[in-house]
């Protein structure tokens, strides 16, 4: 519940009940720098940025601008990470099989490959995704998990 509460709050959702507000306050008490960052993000009135500096110009006449101020750095940084990871996969693809990314859905990429190379490709994809994320956000630990199946649903 704590992880879900914090993620919802960091994307701009207000606490939905007193227990949620209490858990969030405990989280912020434990991570005061993060709480300060969130408060500073909410107050910005010119622009907010992704980790790579992609800007979203703030429209203070929009009722949801404070939520957008929190949401943009997360969403755009994640999108940048995914694009860079796929680029790294493409540049470093050394398998005797055509480059196989056939789809991207938020923080997941879907590859269509043969069963014979599935384990090796899964490790390769995980390594590319983690290395890109760690280059973008040094000091932050990242994990990527590849699933293997006959369909996207089966790979979870």
């Amino acid at each position: 519940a704590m992880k879900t509460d914090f993620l919802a709050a960091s994307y701009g959702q207000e606490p939905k009940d007193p227990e949620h507000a209490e858990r969030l306050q405990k989280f912020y008490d434990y991570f005061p720098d993060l709480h300060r960052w969130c408060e500073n993000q909410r107050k910005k009135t010119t622009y907010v940025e992704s980790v790579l500096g992609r800007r979203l110009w703030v429209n203070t006449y929009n009722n949801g601008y404070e939520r957008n101020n929190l949401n943009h750095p997360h969403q755009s940084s994640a999108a940048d990470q995914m694009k860079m990871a796929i680029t790294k996969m493409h540049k470093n693809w050394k398998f005797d099989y055509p480059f196989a990314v056939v789809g991207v859905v938020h923080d997941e990429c879907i590859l269509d490959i043969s069963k014979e190379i599935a384990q090796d490709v899964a490790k390769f994809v995980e390594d590319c995704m983690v290395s890109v994320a760690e280059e973008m956000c040094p000091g932050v630990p990242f994990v990527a998990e590849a699933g293997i199946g006959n369909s996207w649903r089966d790979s979870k």
Side-chain angles (χ1 to χ4, degrees):
M2 177 65 90
K3 180 180 176 183
T4 302
D5 290 345
F6 175 70
L7 287 172
S10 69
Y11 281 89
Q13 183 183 45
E14 295 298 320
K16 58 186 174 282
D17 57 47
E19 287 121 20
H20 179 193
E22 185 179 329
R23 285 191 306 267
L24 189 57
Q25 188 57 52
K26 285 180 183 177
F27 187 86
Y28 283 146
D29 289 346
Y30 193 77
F31 297 105
D33 290 343
L34 185 58
H35 187 227
R36 259 189 303 283
W37 180 85
C38 287
E39 290 306 308
N40 288 338
Q41 281 298 116
R42 279 190 175 95
K43 294 175 187 172
K44 291 190 175 192
T45 58
T46 52
Y47 63 87
V48 292
E49 292 182 302
S50 72
V51 169
L52 295 180
R54 188 161 25 132
R55 290 183 178 178
L56 172 70
W57 296 94
V58 176
N59 175 1
T60 57
Y61 299 106
N62 176 347
N63 286 341
Y65 86 91
E66 290 177 346
R67 186 175 58 251
N68 291 340
N69 286 3
L70 287 172
N71 192 358
H72 174 77
H74 298 287
Q75 296 288 359
S76 62
S77 296
D80 292 345
Q81 285 176 351
M82 180 56 75
K83 291 171 196 159
M84 292 171 66
I86 291 172
T87 299
K88 185 171 190 169
M89 286 180 229
H90 187 259
K91 285 182 178 179
N92 295 295
W93 190 261
K94 298 204 179 359
F95 300 96
D96 190 22
Y97 199 86
F99 185 64
V101 173
V102 296
V104 177
V105 181
H106 299 291
D107 61 348
E108 298 184 28
C109 61
I110 303 159
L111 288 84
D112 187 6
I113 57 171
S114 69
K115 290 179 184 178
E116 294 77 34
I117 64 172
Q119 292 296 328
D120 292 337
V121 171
K123 176 74 172 116
F124 169 75
V125 168
E126 289 173 350
D127 291 346
C128 286
M129 293 182 89
V130 168
S131 67
V132 164
E134 289 177 346
E135 288 168 20
M136 284 180 64
C137 304
V140 177
F142 286 89
V143 174
E145 296 176 356
I148 299 171
N150 290 326
S151 72
W152 185 28
R153 177 186 49 206
D154 294 342
S155 69
K156 304 267 181 200

